[in-house]
Amino acid sequence: MEQFKIIGYYLCEITDTPKWLSGIGRRMLSVSTCLGEQHPRQECFLGRWRKGESEKYRKKLKMDEEQYMEFTEEAKRLFACGRMDVDCRFRYLSDAQSFYRRICRAVPCHVVSVAVLPEHFEIFAEEWKSSSCKATYGETEIGQWIGNDILGWDIGGFHSFLCNALQRDLPDARFNDRGLLENEFCEVTEFARQIEGKGEPVDWIPCRIGVYGINRLFHF
């Protein structure tokens, strides 16, 4: 059995699959900003909101102004102390779960973990050595498996192999109703090898995606 190491946690919204991405299913969950939605939005701790977008986001979360201010201030605090990175990756499960409790009644979302094999963990650790957040250390609860993905880090966030529709080069790839690979992890590792050098200029890494405390209010 593979020994996985967690590289971080995300609070991911369940979204409609982009129309240009065919054969994946109607709905999906992704830690890639190209495909999915992650919370809190990056603008909450970095600023640079477009006109009207902050108020629109507040209403989406169904928060009053005081709740929303507390929400954004906590995001800023976590980012400032290195517990959250620019791509909305939480370093600690407890922080991700805390934000989940704030928005789960308003937004269909799940706390997910991204875990990799030790040799790939070192690749990400090297990528993030200049980041204030770095990789997650000491976290061992990888969550309930809900599928696999193939991800590559590019400056400030993940690309999924789906960003360039590389599933077309993988005729044996099978997807579940979350838009994630349901193939065995050893097969996904082979898929990553087959697409290396294709699509985005990244190292394609096989990743295990886990979930915590699935909310009965929302289903994939």
Side-chain angles (χ1 to χ4, degrees), residues 24-126:
I24 305 302
R26 186 177 62 87
R27 304 279 274 168
M28 70 183 305
L29 177 154
S30 179
V31 302
S32 170
T33 55
C34 302
L35 299 173
E37 296 287 340
Q38 302 80 34
H39 298 278
R41 279 183 52 170
Q42 185 187 70
E43 291 92 339
C44 288
F45 48 89
L46 291 183
R48 302 195 297 269
W49 288 100
R50 293 182 179 179
K51 185 177 181 179
E53 283 297 302
S54 180
E55 179 65 9
K56 182 178 178 181
Y57 187 53
R58 181 184 72 80
K59 291 180 178 179
K60 175 179 179 175
L61 300 182
K62 298 181 180 178
M63 293 181 178
D64 60 31
E65 292 184 1
E66 182 177 350
Q67 291 170 326
Y68 185 63
M69 181 176 294
E70 292 176 353
F71 178 82
T72 55
E73 287 301 315
E74 180 64 6
K76 291 175 184 177
R77 185 186 72 81
L78 291 183
F79 180 71
C81 70
R83 294 173 67 155
M84 179 185 289
D85 212 342
V86 293
D87 66 325
C88 308
R89 175 174 56 92
F90 293 92
R91 188 173 183 184
Y92 299 106
L93 176 59
S94 59
D95 290 334
Q97 290 174 322
S98 175
F99 272 81
Y100 170 79
R101 288 190 291 270
R102 292 171 184 253
I103 71 170
C104 65
R105 294 284 174 175
V107 178
C109 58
H110 292 298
V111 175
V112 304
S113 64
V114 180
V116 297
L117 296 177
E119 59 267 31
H120 296 140
F121 181 89
E122 296 306 320
I123 292 176
F124 287 122
E126 179 66 20

Side-chain angles (χ1 to χ4, degrees), residues 187-220:
E187 295 179 88
V188 177
T189 299
E190 175 58 22
F191 292 162
R193 188 194 65 77
Q194 292 177 30
I195 64 171
E196 192 60 42
K198 298 181 180 180
E200 304 292 341
V202 297
D203 293 319
W204 291 118
I205 306 296
C207 299
R208 176 198 186 275
I209 308 299
V211 70
Y212 304 82
I214 294 178
N215 190 332
R216 294 180 182 177
L217 291 175
F218 300 112
H219 302 281
F220 289 100

